[in-house]
Amino acid sequence: MPRVSDRQRIAQDIRDKIASGEYSPGDKLPSLRELIAHHEVSAEPVRSALLILQAEGLIEGHQGKGTYVTPRKASP
């Protein structure tokens, strides 16, 4: 079984927390420093995971303000 990379593991953890409602739309995610400590990794895999989630449209970063869960789009 292939090993899951740290960035994939972190991205999936945040996805799961968004899906479960632990992180709701508009919520601010923990800081980079907090995510590094929680996942016991360096900054690079956390940054990579956040970029993956931004590309998926799940989160958005605001310079100097933090990273937030994006509002869910209404289903037609």
Side-chain angles (χ1 to χ4, degrees):
M1 181 178 221
R3 183 180 179 279
V4 176
S5 71
D6 286 335
R7 70 181 176 157
Q8 291 170 322
R9 179 177 53 83
I10 295 163
Q12 189 59 52
D13 179 57
I14 295 171
R15 268 190 217 101
D16 291 344
K17 289 179 178 179
I18 292 170
S20 74
E22 186 174 338
Y23 295 155
S24 299
D27 282 356
K28 184 176 180 181
L29 294 182
S31 70
L32 183 65
R33 182 175 291 167
E34 291 169 324
L35 290 169
I36 289 167
H38 176 75
H39 292 285
E40 299 178 342
V41 295
S42 66
E44 182 54 35
V46 173
R47 285 191 188 108
S48 293
L50 294 177
L51 287 173
I52 290 168
L53 296 170
Q54 281 183 328
E56 293 173 0
L58 292 174
I59 63 171
E60 53 191 19
H62 298 281
Q63 186 69 32
K65 294 183 180 177
T67 305
Y68 295 82
V69 178
T70 56
R72 291 188 178 98
K73 295 187 172 120
S75 299

